[in-house]
Amino acid sequence: MTGASLASRSLPAGMEESFVQGRRQQLARIARDIDDIRVEAKILLGRPGTVLIEEVVRSNHDLVLRSHARDLASSGHQPFGEVDMELLRKCPCPVLLVRHGQPATHPGIACAVDAASEDAGAQELNAKIVELALMMAEYLGSLPPTLFHAWVPFAERTIRSHADGDQFAAYLDSARVRAASALTQMARSFDGRLDEEHTVLRRGEPGDVIPEFVVSEGIDLLVMGTVARAGIPGMVIGNTAERVLRKLPCSVLTVKPDG
């Protein structure tokens, strides 16, 4: 559990220890309700995002899960906060942000990929995203995940301004066919573990069409990549990733490239 550092000089004597002891007791109660895995309770003092990332590095954790108790006190969708975004930007291992609510019996899972990219790093990240989605689908007993690809025609405005109507329509159709073919090939590359019928291709900027797809299809968990550096063509990078994540009403599992 994380908590803000308490400056002892500004607190009455013993208040910091009383605060920490209260949180320790809360953690112990939660841990007692978990009976299928071994649980170690630990309190971390400091800026939440920073101390969580330090703990991940120190203990070599494979996954960070963070819940959103603030949703209990609010109505409607609450965007992910600054601690969430810090974890998504900087945490070296996958991060699962869990929305409040009763778990679905068979949750809908989708993974956002860049199927059309020819960059080796992007394809490696795609594979990690899909493998995590397949693992979550198996663990949660859901259907195979939906493979989602947002595509934007290259140099669309320039081509539109230099081509007639028929030429531009032909260009768009050709670009759509290539994107659809890449998405189908990616689904087939997972040796039958993905259903080709569960692939979705949407034209538009990822920051717009991914949240729209999640809402329209009632997706419970989205698996996607977050990249804290430039250099992977076509991936959801930086500000675009943050726009997607701030609009998502569902739980999200994010992964970064190796290294």
Side-chain angles (χ1 to χ4, degrees):
M1 171 176 283
T2 63
S5 296
L6 300 176
S8 58
R9 65 178 181 273
S10 64
L11 295 174
M15 180 172 288
E16 179 175 358
E17 179 56 32
S18 175
F19 176 83
V20 172
Q21 183 61 27
R23 289 300 178 91
R24 186 174 288 113
Q25 292 172 353
Q26 291 176 335
L27 278 178
R29 286 195 295 270
I30 294 172
R32 284 196 295 269
D33 292 334
I34 303 174
D35 54 12
D36 55 346
I37 58 174
R38 184 176 67 85
V39 175
E40 176 188 0
K42 184 181 292 187
I43 291 180
L44 307 175
L45 295 178
R47 292 183 64 252
T50 301
V51 295
L52 276 170
I53 293 169
E54 290 173 348
E55 172 64 17
V56 166
V57 174
R58 180 169 53 246
S59 301
N60 196 30
H61 291 300
D62 298 309
L63 178 67
V64 169
L65 290 87
R66 177 174 162 83
S67 64
H68 291 269
R70 69 175 182 273
D71 289 349
L72 291 169
S74 306
S75 59
H77 162 58
Q78 299 298 311
F80 295 121
E82 291 307 314
V83 174
D84 305 313
M85 302 312 295
E86 183 175 0
L87 290 173
L88 296 172
R89 285 191 294 263
K90 300 178 181 179
C91 187
C93 71
V95 176
L96 174 57
L97 302 178
V98 182
R99 290 294 191 189
H100 171 70
Q102 187 67 27
T105 304
H106 300 291
I109 300 176
C111 39
V113 296
D114 180 17
S117 175
E118 297 180 357
D119 180 83
Q123 291 300 337
E124 289 175 3
L125 184 57
N126 284 336
K128 291 182 67 174
I129 292 169
V130 175
E131 290 291 352
L132 276 175
L134 288 166
M135 180 183 69
M136 293 299 295
E138 181 179 1
Y139 177 76
L140 296 173
S142 69
L143 294 172
T146 298
L147 206 57
F148 181 90
H149 175 46
W151 70 284
V152 179
F154 175 74
E156 179 177 2
R157 291 184 179 179
T158 301
I159 294 174
R160 183 194 295 271
S161 65
H162 289 80
D164 61 33
D166 290 341
Q167 290 174 327
F168 183 67
Y171 168 72
L172 289 183
D173 187 61
S174 176
R176 180 192 60 78
V177 168
R178 287 196 301 271
S181 176
L183 189 60
T184 299
Q185 290 178 18
M186 177 176 288
R188 291 174 178 172
S189 70
F190 286 88
D191 300 324
R193 292 186 294 160
L194 286 174
D195 188 343
E196 291 182 31
E197 294 183 359
H198 286 81
T199 59
V200 176
L201 183 70
R202 295 278 176 87
R203 177 185 169 190
E205 295 293 339
D208 299 322
V209 298
I210 291 177
E212 290 171 358
F213 163 74
V214 165
V215 171
S216 66
E217 300 302 317
I219 298 299
D220 300 294
L221 173 64
L222 179 72
V223 186
M224 64 177 289
T226 57
V227 182
R229 57 181 175 80
I232 299 182
M235 292 303 297
V236 182
I237 297 175
N239 291 335
T240 301
E242 295 196 11
R243 287 199 300 273
V244 172
L245 290 159
R246 290 187 186 280
K247 294 179 182 179
L248 291 178
C250 64
S251 298
V252 59
L253 173 58
T254 66
V255 61
K256 293 182 177 65
D258 291 337

